């Protein structure tokens, strides 16, 4: 049983050596070890905070990128809409101009036709007048050849003029 029960002297020296070791470790080892552990803990906290900040910045950048993409799409849509409007305006302007030109050409053609018609009518009137005068001259010269017929015709004209 000697091995199981320790001697008092051994217990005292073991206690003293443990106490000295404890004081030496406390003074020289635990301070630096705890400082290193605390420093490591702080650097881990700082790294985690930096990672969280980086994550937030990435989310912010992602949101900004999405916003910029939306704006770019909206601008693209606006430009396409404007281009379509310009295209339709150009087409409608060209159609309107073509209508105006065709109407002007039709009006000019109608005017030219009316002028030709009037000219032809005047020429026809002149021809009819010339023919009528020629016929009238022949008829009158035959009727005026006889004096009795001349007097009778003058009397008839005077009577017709009195009646009216």
């Amino acid at each position: 049983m000697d091995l199981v029960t320790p001697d008092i002297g051994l217990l005292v020296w073991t206690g003293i050596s443990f106490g000295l070791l404890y004081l030496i470790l406390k003074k020289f080892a635990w301070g630096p070890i705890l400082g290193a552990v605390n420093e490591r803990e702080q650097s881990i906290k700082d790294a985690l905070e930096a990672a969280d900040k980086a994550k937030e910045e990435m989310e912010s950048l992602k949101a900004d990128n999405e916003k910029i993409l939306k704006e770019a799409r909206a601008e693209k849509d606006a430009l396409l809409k404007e281009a379509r409007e310009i295209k339709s305006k150009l087409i409608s302007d060209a159609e309107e101009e073509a209508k105006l030109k065709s109407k002007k050409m039709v009006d000019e053609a109608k005017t030219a036709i009316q002028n030709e018609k009037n000219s032809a009518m005047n020429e026809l009137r002149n021809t009819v007048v010339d023919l009528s005068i020629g016929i009238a001259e022949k008829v009158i010269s035959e009727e005026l050849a006889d004096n009795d017929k001349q007097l009778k015709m003058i009397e008839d004209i005077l009577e017709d003029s009195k009646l009216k």
Side-chain angles (χ1 to χ4, degrees):
M1 260 291 6
D2 272 343
L3 288 172
V4 178
T5 51
D7 189 22
I8 286 249
L10 181 66
L11 279 175
V12 171
W13 283 110
T14 304
I16 291 174
S17 4
F18 181 75
L20 278 172
L21 181 65
Y22 175 77
L23 291 174
I24 291 172
L25 287 177
K26 185 177 180 184
K27 184 170 182 152
F28 295 109
W30 284 349
I33 291 173
L34 287 178
V37 168
N38 288 338
E39 186 179 313
R40 177 74 176 143
E41 182 182 354
Q42 187 62 35
S43 68
I44 291 172
K45 283 181 184 178
D46 292 343
L48 288 175
E49 287 176 7
D52 287 340
K53 285 181 183 179
K55 184 178 178 182
E56 289 175 4
E57 287 179 12
M58 290 299 292
E59 289 175 0
S60 173
L61 288 174
K62 185 178 179 183
D64 289 345
N65 284 342
E66 288 176 8
K67 180 182 175 186
I68 289 170
L69 283 174
K70 282 183 183 178
E71 289 174 358
R73 286 186 187 119
E75 187 175 338
K76 177 191 78 165
D77 291 342
L79 287 173
L80 286 175
K81 182 180 178 184
E82 184 179 344
R84 283 188 208 110
E85 289 173 358
I86 289 172
K87 179 185 106 176
S88 62
K89 185 178 184 320
L90 287 174
I91 289 172
S92 64
D93 288 347
E95 287 174 350
E96 187 67 28
E97 186 177 338
K99 284 179 185 178
L100 289 174
K101 283 184 179 181
S102 65
K103 184 177 183 207
K104 183 179 177 184
M105 289 173 66
V106 167
D107 290 344
E108 288 175 357
K110 284 181 180 179
T111 303
I113 290 171
Q114 188 63 38
N115 289 340
E116 289 294 321
K117 180 180 172 184
N118 290 341
S119 174
M121 290 298 287
N122 286 337
E123 190 175 322
L124 182 63
R125 280 188 203 125
N126 290 338
T127 304
V128 168
V129 167
D130 289 342
L131 286 174
S132 297
I133 290 175
I135 292 172
E137 282 179 354
K138 287 183 183 179
V139 169
I140 290 177
S141 66
E142 286 181 16
E143 287 196 15
L144 292 181
D146 187 10
N147 279 339
D148 290 335
K149 283 186 181 180
Q150 280 182 1
L151 288 175
K152 173 88 170 124
M153 186 162 57
I154 292 173
E155 286 175 5
D156 288 341
I157 292 172
L158 287 174
E159 281 182 28
D160 283 341
S161 65
K162 285 181 185 177
L163 290 175
K164 293 180 182 179

